[in-house]
Amino acid sequence: MLQPADLSPIPRSEAPRDCPLCPRLVSLREELRCEQPNWWNAPVPAFGDADAWLAIVGLAPGRRGANRTGRPFTGDYSGEIFYSTLTKFKLAQGTYRGEADDDVRLVGTIVLNAVKCLPPGNRPLPGEVANCRNYLESSLALLPKVRVIVALGQIAHGSATRALKLMPANVKFAHGAERAAADGRILLASYHCSRQNTNTGRLTKEMFESIFERAKELRQ
Ligand code: SF4
């Protein structure tokens, strides 16, 4: 199988449907293409506004969420709180119905993932996060109006830290933590809006909303 070193690092923001860089994720993808031929089962592209001032970096597609529907945060539990919060802050319009063909449209906002393919158990390996960072960096480079980057969860935050050329040792993850990159963009950390975090009270609705309130302040 083709390994990362065999591929020239061509900068581009979207992965090909059969991106071969992460063998473990490719195996799972191929297995699911046989089991669930009607699902997306491919790298999940960015979703949102090409003129975005706000980029949100999630972790990776959920099995029955983005991996099924092909749109970030769409089709599983986390999408409910995610899109309702964006709608409350006028960062999304339309009615979220959990399918990629609903009429949700993001306003000034784009959603990216640290890892574009479904990882087993929602846990990508460090090498997989590193492989996919090329796409994250390319996406951010193609979004010159982005001023604020909200990273959901520690893994996404770590990858966004590196994508922004910040020193990881100097950028600790904590809900609400902020850090300015050399290019003036602000990285804002949030707990991920997963069921695990919301059911345990680690992330409340108010805590999640406070991130987007702050993001809007930082835009000024
Ligand atoms: S996770 Fe990213 S780098 Fe790895 S196979 Fe998928 S698209 Fe390619």
Side-chain angles (χ1 to χ4, degrees):
M1 182 166 292
L2 201 58
Q3 294 298 312
D6 299 317
L7 296 173
S8 53
I10 302 165
R12 55 184 168 188
S13 62
E14 292 304 344
R17 201 171 158 77
D18 293 314
C19 179
L21 289 175
C22 307
R24 191 179 72 121
L25 307 192
V26 171
S27 292
L28 179 57
R29 179 203 297 161
E30 287 174 353
E31 199 180 295
L32 281 171
R33 282 180 181 174
C34 295
E35 267 178 37
Q36 301 288 351
N38 296 324
W39 288 10
W40 177 259
N41 294 324
V44 173
F47 170 58
D49 186 344
D51 286 328
W53 63 269
L54 172 66
I56 303 169
V57 182
L59 170 59
R63 183 182 174 98
R64 292 182 160 274
N67 178 66
R68 177 176 63 82
T69 63
R71 194 178 75 182
F73 291 97
T74 299
D76 56 10
Y77 175 84
S78 59
E80 304 283 340
I81 180 171
F82 183 79
Y83 286 108
S84 69
T85 304
L86 293 192
T87 301
K88 177 167 181 174
F89 287 89
K90 301 191 181 343
L91 300 169
Q93 293 177 341
T95 304
Y96 172 74
R97 292 195 308 272
E99 295 295 340
D101 62 356
D102 61 24
D103 64 352
V104 169
R105 189 172 70 82
L106 300 193
V107 183
T109 303
I110 193 160
V111 188
L112 312 168
N113 268 335
V115 173
K116 285 177 169 287
C117 296
L118 171 69
N122 289 328
R123 289 184 182 275
L125 300 174
E128 293 160 352
V129 178
N131 288 344
C132 218
R133 193 173 306 118
N134 186 40
Y135 297 119
L136 179 60
E137 287 173 353
S138 301
S139 296
L140 291 172
L142 291 170
L143 294 164
K145 294 186 182 170
V146 163
R147 306 301 310 146
V148 183
I149 296 162
V150 169
L152 302 181
Q154 199 155 4
I155 293 174
H157 184 256
S159 198
T161 295
R162 288 174 171 84
L164 291 170
K165 313 299 180 211
L166 288 162
M167 288 290 290
N170 297 336
V171 187
K172 301 289 180 214
F173 177 79
H175 187 77
E178 298 172 18
R179 190 80 184 193
D183 63 3
R185 291 175 167 187
I186 308 286
L187 177 62
L188 179 54
S190 171
Y191 289 134
H192 193 283
C193 54
S194 64
R195 188 193 294 267
Q196 191 184 9
N197 284 343
T198 55
N199 279 2
T200 57
R202 183 177 173 88
L203 179 71
T204 63
K205 182 170 172 280
E206 292 72 27
M207 285 167 71
F208 198 50
E209 289 179 357
S210 71
I211 293 294
F212 295 95
E213 247 170 47
R214 181 63 183 146
K216 284 198 142 182
E217 287 170 6
L218 291 168
R219 183 193 183 183
Q220 312 305 326

